Amino acid sequence: MEGLSERQYAARVGLSRGAIQKAKAAGRLVLHADGSIDPDASDARRAESTDPSKTRKPPAPKRKPVPEAAVSAVGDTLKEQGLAAPATGGGTTFLQAKTANEVLKAQERRIRLQKLKGELIDRARALALVFRLARQERDVWVNWPARVAALMAADVGVEPAAMQKALEKHVRSQLDDLAEIQPDLR
């Protein structure tokens, strides 16, 4: 056999055997004397005689560009786990992205489990609790000079009103300093 069989040529050009048989019957293929198909000459003849608008081309896959934030998030996740992260601007391989995805899923499951076990608390609830406790402590300190000024004045031998005024001044100064402290609950 000098050329290719119908099956071989169909596999080479990505068409069905029936389509090759139709092209052969229509004279769009070049045949050798033994009936086998001359692949190069047949490709050229098919290209000349085939209307390009009638050909079926596989649609090009539509790929969206990956945002840089997503790529950096993959890199951060991989670095947190001690794995190789992509170079900046070098792109991420599919394997790296898949690894990061699996790591994130495992972290999410761990957090969900900790929440179910009661080991984690709601952030908003924790902030509200811290604020309430700080407010209660502040109120106790604001009222403290009025409660102890007379006792301290008697111990030291000074006027109770002057002692209360001095204590209030220093307590308020201390509370102002404490108010500048911002808790970092990250």
Side-chain angles (χ1 to χ4, degrees):
M1 190 183 252
E2 290 182 56
L4 300 176
S5 68
E6 289 176 356
R7 289 182 200 274
Q8 291 170 330
Y9 187 68
R12 176 184 168 180
V13 296
L15 296 173
S16 68
R17 184 169 174 234
I20 298 303
Q21 288 173 337
K22 286 181 185 178
K24 188 177 182 180
R28 290 193 307 262
L29 300 179
V30 178
L31 304 175
H32 290 290
D34 64 354
S36 62
I37 301 170
D38 180 354
D40 297 325
S42 294
D43 288 345
R45 186 176 287 174
R46 279 183 49 249
E48 292 171 5
S49 63
T50 303
D51 182 7
S53 67
K54 304 285 184 190
T55 60
R56 281 193 257 167
K57 296 176 187 167
K62 295 179 182 176
R63 296 184 180 150
K64 296 179 183 176
V66 178
E68 188 61 35
V71 173
S72 67
V74 168
D76 292 344
T77 302
L78 291 172
K79 285 177 191 172
E80 286 173 6
Q81 298 303 312
L83 300 171
T88 307
T92 302
T93 65
F94 178 75
L95 182 60
Q96 288 172 322
K98 189 170 181 169
T99 301
N101 184 45
E102 293 301 317
V103 167
L104 287 173
K105 285 196 292 188
Q107 288 174 344
E108 183 182 20
R109 286 187 197 115
R110 186 187 72 229
I111 289 170
R112 231 185 266 141
L113 182 61
Q114 287 174 329
K115 197 170 187 178
L116 287 172
K117 288 180 175 179
E119 295 171 1
L120 293 180
I121 59 169
D122 182 33
R123 180 184 175 91
R125 189 171 164 212
L127 284 171
L129 178 64
V130 168
F131 181 79
R132 192 182 83 216
L133 290 173
R135 174 67 58 130
Q136 287 174 346
E137 187 172 350
R138 180 192 153 278
D139 291 345
V140 167
W141 274 106
V142 166
N143 295 325
W144 180 76
R147 284 185 304 131
V148 299
L151 297 173
M152 289 177 75
D155 288 345
V156 180
V158 295
E159 179 75 27
M163 178 62 81
Q164 184 174 347
K165 190 172 183 179
L167 284 173
E168 284 177 353
K169 175 182 155 190
H170 291 291
V171 166
R172 292 222 180 258
S173 173
Q174 179 66 14
L175 290 174
D176 288 343
D177 290 345
L178 290 174
E180 293 176 11
I181 299 172
Q182 296 295 322
D184 185 15
L185 300 175
R186 281 188 248 162

